[in-house]
Amino acid sequence: MGLDEIDTPYTAIDLARLQTNLERHRLRCQTQAIAFRPHAKTHKIPELAKLQLEHGAIGITLATIGEAEVFVDAGIDDIFLAYPLWLTPHKADRLGALTKNARITIGVDSVASLENSAQTLGATSVEFMIEIDSGHHRSGTSPNDVLAIAQALADHGLTFAGVFTYPGHSYNPEVKDQASIDEVEALTTACDALESAGFEVKVKSGGSTPSSQTTSDYLSETRAGVYTLGDAQQLELGTCGLDDIALSVITTVVSKRGDTVIVDAGSKIMAADKAPWATGHGRVLANIDARITAMSEHHATVVYPDEHSAPALGELIQVVPNHVCNAVNLVDQVAVIEDGGIVQWWSVAARGKNS
Amino acid sequence: MGLDEIDTPYTAIDLARLQTNLERHRLRCQTQAIAFRPHAKTHKIPELAKLQLEHGAIGITLATIGEAEVFVDAGIDDIFLAYPLWLTPHKADRLGALTKNARITIGVDSVASLENSAQTLGATSVEFMIEIDSGHHRSGTSPNDVLAIAQALADHGLTFAGVFTYPGHSYNPEVKDQASIDEVEALTTACDALESAGFEVKVKSGGSTPSSQTTSDYLSETRAGVYTLGDAQQLELGTCGLDDIALSVITTVVSKRGDTVIVDAGSKIMAADKAPWATGHGRVLANIDARITAMSEHHATVVYPDEHSAPALGELIQVVPNHVCNAVNLVDQVAVIEDGGIVQWWSVAARGKNS
């Protein structure tokens, strides 16, 4: 089926580019002798997670219990929820149900939240990773406080699986390289303290897509996600080229004025993400010199280098969102493109599973 | 049902605040002797559109054919799609099907797109509004070029319903008041030209939520949308108070460090919108001095004035998105709150209907 046979706007994944990205990441991790557990919140698509496992992933990372329910239901049996959860009895029941069919690991970053998990879960096979703050300053404990949490885990008879950090400051071009250094330093400090006290740290997990390109061999596992599909942010960070971007939104030019066209896709299909350092609201797949200069909810303004290069009214163009994770979360399904045509549709089965 | 009986995060609408907002807007439009056709892309909820009609709206405005299909199916019979559509044969068929059960009006901003509509629609009861650019510089023709489009409509035997503009620059605090002036000037220029040439301009439609508060009586119709629910952007623009905000996301504190807490709601339920002039990524309903200072996909960082005022781990707090239109488009349903409890759920039936 041709790209013009579906009403625009719609979201599409180029299968050949996706497979190239998966294989490149597999080889990079193999060279670095590091396991990878990709973050599947990026795509929320079981078919794509299975391709990642075929390309060497040891399991997947997710953000919410609702996402885990979808992926376990699809047959994926090793899941890490990489955040400190605050469990209610109902959330604990949902987590317990998942352990019947999968190995489930969750994050913890304070003795208080650990006590809450212990109380709500009771006897459980859920495993725990202690989150360390390596400079992103979101969740995560200071490396110096890690011992108290490990001791509380032991006191409750819960399984301590290892430590993890998210060097989210790697998304700031000015500190991108420093973030990789911070990541290892924080984990080293935490692991030295734990190992000196007699705790075995099986997993040392880090990684974001930017930092995974320079990850030290100190880590045992990386959790990059965006490497699968790419986006305009990664392009501007230099972690992918335009030819590596596998996801785009197919749009129609509905209005035109000289070098500027308005397309029928906006923040309700591309998401509104725009980092302070971003040069625009997204890019054009076929023209690296064109920019999305403004984003409305159902329209984007695309400026071309000159009137001659701008497409005509009614033409289809493929635009690239700034942040693929939030873009995918807006659609129920994506078209899969091979040899310029749509060959199948994948359900974004975990879309909107926020709790 | 109490707010703590549902797994967080989830999105909720306060019914009393909503009704106050609807009634305030009805009175404002009555005082200004202006009709209102609210933009229902803000909420995408048929039940809420029906409340707007009960509070005096003459019909609704929408953005896409897919949204119109949902609202017509719910029994709403007068819909304006306030954008220049570029119709394929399939989109024309879908639009034609809608006219069997509703009065449908669409936007047009060039002779070329009008010719395309005439060709794909054939004989049709679809009516046309000419879009005028009043300074937002998205779609819309220059007021000086409006005659050629009106003449082309007449040549094709199509119905010319009036003119409209979207003063989207009213969202910039520095030019907010000027945008209302620009809106009237652009419509006046266009209507003078049309009326001098013998065209009757039945509808002169303008409006955004910021500009609708200062709309001149030159307009016959306003299309504000966000006035229903409010959001952190409107709060910062001064068009609503914190007590007027009817939509919030109910979250749990999952991590804490002094005056800073991490809640379990991020851009995948609040959206990533942040205008350059915004002071943060959203607000806290119960504390005007607290700010969302950073937004991840599944978490937000909330900074309180001091440690004493910050909530404890496990506490529920209500956070307010910057831009309610994109926030609502992320969830399948919203809880309706009355007297502090959940009394029903509304389906966000037109969520994700982008084409």
Side-chain angles (χ1 to χ4, degrees):
Chain A
M1 181 176 279
L3 299 190
D4 59 352
E5 293 178 63
I6 304 292
D7 288 345
T8 64
Y10 65 92
T11 301
I13 290 176
D14 183 304
L15 191 59
R17 289 183 175 199
L18 168 64
Q19 284 173 325
T20 300
N21 293 341
L22 296 181
E23 186 57 13
R24 185 194 296 123
H25 192 67
R26 186 189 71 76
L27 284 170
R28 185 189 298 132
C29 292
Q30 190 182 54
T31 303
Q32 294 177 342
I34 188 171
F36 65 103
R37 179 183 287 279
H39 213 315
K41 69 162 167 56
T42 294
H43 55 76
K44 293 173 173 271
I45 299 170
E47 287 91 337
L48 209 162
K50 289 177 184 172
L51 283 179
Q52 290 175 305
L53 293 169
E54 287 172 18
H55 283 81
I58 60 165
I60 63 171
T61 305
L62 290 170
T64 69
I65 299 172
E67 286 180 336
E69 286 166 342
V70 169
F71 282 89
V72 170
D73 197 47
I76 295 186
D77 64 1
D78 189 344
I79 288 170
F80 171 38
L81 299 180
Y83 298 94
L85 304 182
W86 187 271
L87 296 174
T88 57
H90 188 247
K91 281 195 170 175
D93 285 349
R94 292 169 64 200
L95 212 51
L98 288 172
T99 60
K100 292 176 189 157
N101 297 305
R103 177 182 175 220
I104 301 290
T105 308
I106 68 174
V108 61
D109 76 344
S110 69
V111 172
S113 69
L114 188 274
E115 300 281 353
N116 165 262
S117 291
Q119 188 185 341
T120 49
L121 282 169
T124 181
S125 64
V126 169
E127 300 181 28
F128 290 81
M129 294 271 284
I130 301 177
E131 183 175 9
I132 313 295
D133 177 17
S134 58
H136 183 46
H137 303 319
R138 189 175 63 185
S139 49
T141 185
S142 153
N144 304 315
D145 295 335
V146 71
L147 268 184
I149 303 173
Q151 190 56 54
L153 278 166
D155 293 346
H156 285 282
L158 296 168
T159 303
F160 167 53
V163 297
F164 75 107
T165 191
Y166 173 61
H169 49 319
S170 63
Y171 275 76
N172 179 341
E174 288 175 19
V175 295
K176 180 183 157 191
D177 294 335
Q178 183 60 40
S180 298
I181 297 166
D182 293 346
E183 173 181 44
V184 171
E185 277 188 3
L187 291 186
T188 304
T189 305
C191 292
D192 285 354
L194 286 162
E195 287 165 350
S196 297
F199 291 99
E200 184 191 1
V201 186
K202 290 182 194 148
V203 183
K204 299 165 184 174
S205 177
S208 61
T209 291
S211 66
S212 72
Q213 302 202 330
T214 50
T215 290
S216 145
D217 57 7
Y218 183 80
L219 302 183
S220 71
E221 173 185 291
T222 178
R223 303 188 315 279
V226 180
Y227 77 92
T228 47
L229 299 169
D231 57 25
Q233 276 188 172
Q234 299 298 329
L235 182 73
E236 300 210 340
L237 285 167
T239 54
C240 74
L242 201 58
D243 292 344
D244 303 321
I245 294 175
L247 182 138
S248 64
V249 175
I250 321 288
T251 69
T252 303
V253 176
V254 298
S255 186
K256 182 174 179 178
R257 187 166 18 199
D259 62 359
T260 302
V261 301
I262 309 298
V263 297
D264 63 356
S267 57
K268 280 181 175 165
I269 193 163
M270 287 197 274
D273 298 66
K274 184 177 179 297
W277 45 263
T279 64
H281 296 262
R283 302 294 277 259
V284 174
L285 203 57
N287 191 331
I288 200 162
D289 298 319
R291 282 281 189 303
I292 299 179
T293 59
M295 183 86 91
S296 301
E297 288 165 51
H298 290 280
H299 293 85
T301 303
V302 188
V303 177
Y304 282 77
D306 51 62
E307 189 162 349
H308 172 71
S309 59
L313 271 168
E315 265 190 51
L316 254 55
I317 67 170
Q318 290 179 253
V319 291
V320 179
N322 269 349
H323 185 192
V324 70
C325 306
N326 276 333
V328 171
N329 187 47
L330 288 162
V331 293
D332 290 319
Q333 50 181 11
V334 296
V336 179
I337 295 177
E338 209 170 359
D339 297 327
I342 298 171
V343 293
Q344 59 177 312
W345 291 85
W346 282 343
S347 168
V348 186
R351 184 204 66 69
K353 302 296 182 193
N354 290 304
S355 68
Chain B
M1 182 177 279
L3 298 190
D4 60 350
E5 292 179 63
I6 305 292
D7 287 346
T8 64
Y10 64 93
T11 300
I13 290 176
D14 183 304
L15 191 58
R17 289 182 175 201
L18 168 64
Q19 285 173 323
T20 300
N21 294 341
L22 295 181
E23 186 58 13
R24 185 195 295 123
H25 192 67
R26 186 189 72 74
L27 285 169
R28 185 188 300 131
C29 292
Q30 190 181 54
T31 304
Q32 294 177 341
I34 189 169
F36 64 103
R37 180 184 285 280
H39 213 315
K41 69 164 169 54
T42 294
H43 54 74
K44 294 172 172 272
I45 299 169
E47 286 92 335
L48 209 163
K50 289 177 184 173
L51 284 179
Q52 290 176 304
L53 293 169
E54 287 171 19
H55 283 81
I58 60 165
I60 63 171
T61 305
L62 290 170
T64 70
I65 300 172
E67 287 180 336
E69 287 166 342
V70 169
F71 281 88
V72 169
D73 196 48
I76 296 187
D77 64 1
D78 189 344
I79 288 170
F80 171 38
L81 300 180
Y83 298 94
L85 303 182
W86 187 271
L87 295 175
T88 57
H90 188 247
K91 280 196 170 175
D93 286 348
R94 292 169 65 198
L95 212 51
L98 288 171
T99 61
K100 292 176 189 157
N101 297 304
R103 177 182 175 221
I104 301 291
T105 308
I106 68 173
V108 61
D109 76 344
S110 69
V111 171
S113 70
L114 187 274
E115 299 281 354
N116 165 262
S117 292
Q119 187 186 340
T120 50
L121 283 169
T124 182
S125 65
V126 169
E127 300 181 28
F128 290 81
M129 294 271 284
I130 301 176
E131 183 175 8
I132 313 293
D133 177 17
S134 58
H136 183 44
H137 304 318
R138 189 175 63 184
S139 49
T141 186
S142 152
N144 303 315
D145 296 334
V146 72
L147 268 185
I149 303 173
Q151 190 56 54
L153 279 165
D155 293 345
H156 284 283
L158 296 167
T159 304
F160 167 53
V163 296
F164 75 106
T165 191
Y166 173 61
H169 49 319
S170 63
Y171 276 75
N172 179 341
E174 287 176 17
V175 295
K176 179 182 158 193
D177 294 334
Q178 184 61 40
S180 299
I181 297 166
D182 293 345
E183 174 180 43
V184 171
E185 276 189 2
L187 292 185
T188 304
T189 304
C191 293
D192 286 353
L194 287 162
E195 287 165 350
S196 297
F199 291 99
E200 184 191 2
V201 186
K202 290 183 194 146
V203 182
K204 298 165 184 173
S205 177
S208 62
T209 291
S211 66
S212 71
Q213 302 202 330
T214 51
T215 290
S216 147
D217 55 10
Y218 183 80
L219 302 183
S220 71
E221 173 185 292
T222 178
R223 303 188 315 278
V226 180
Y227 78 91
T228 46
L229 298 169
D231 57 26
Q233 276 188 172
Q234 300 297 330
L235 182 73
E236 301 210 339
L237 286 167
T239 54
C240 74
L242 201 57
D243 291 345
D244 303 320
I245 294 175
L247 181 138
S248 64
V249 175
I250 320 289
T251 69
T252 302
V253 176
V254 298
S255 186
K256 182 173 179 178
R257 188 168 11 203
D259 61 0
T260 301
V261 300
I262 308 298
V263 296
D264 64 356
S267 56
K268 280 182 174 164
I269 193 164
M270 287 198 273
D273 298 67
K274 183 177 180 294
W277 45 263
T279 64
H281 296 262
R283 304 293 278 257
V284 174
L285 204 56
N287 191 331
I288 200 162
D289 298 320
R291 281 281 189 302
I292 299 180
T293 59
M295 183 86 90
S296 302
E297 289 165 51
H298 290 279
H299 293 86
T301 303
V302 188
V303 177
Y304 282 77
D306 51 63
E307 188 162 350
H308 172 72
S309 59
L313 271 168
E315 266 190 51
L316 254 55
I317 67 169
Q318 290 178 254
V319 290
V320 179
N322 269 349
H323 185 193
V324 69
C325 306
N326 276 333
V328 170
N329 188 47
L330 287 162
V331 294
D332 290 319
Q333 50 180 8
V334 297
V336 180
I337 296 178
E338 209 170 0
D339 297 328
I342 298 171
V343 293
Q344 58 179 310
W345 290 84
W346 282 344
S347 168
V348 186
R351 184 203 65 72
K353 302 296 182 192
N354 289 305
S355 68

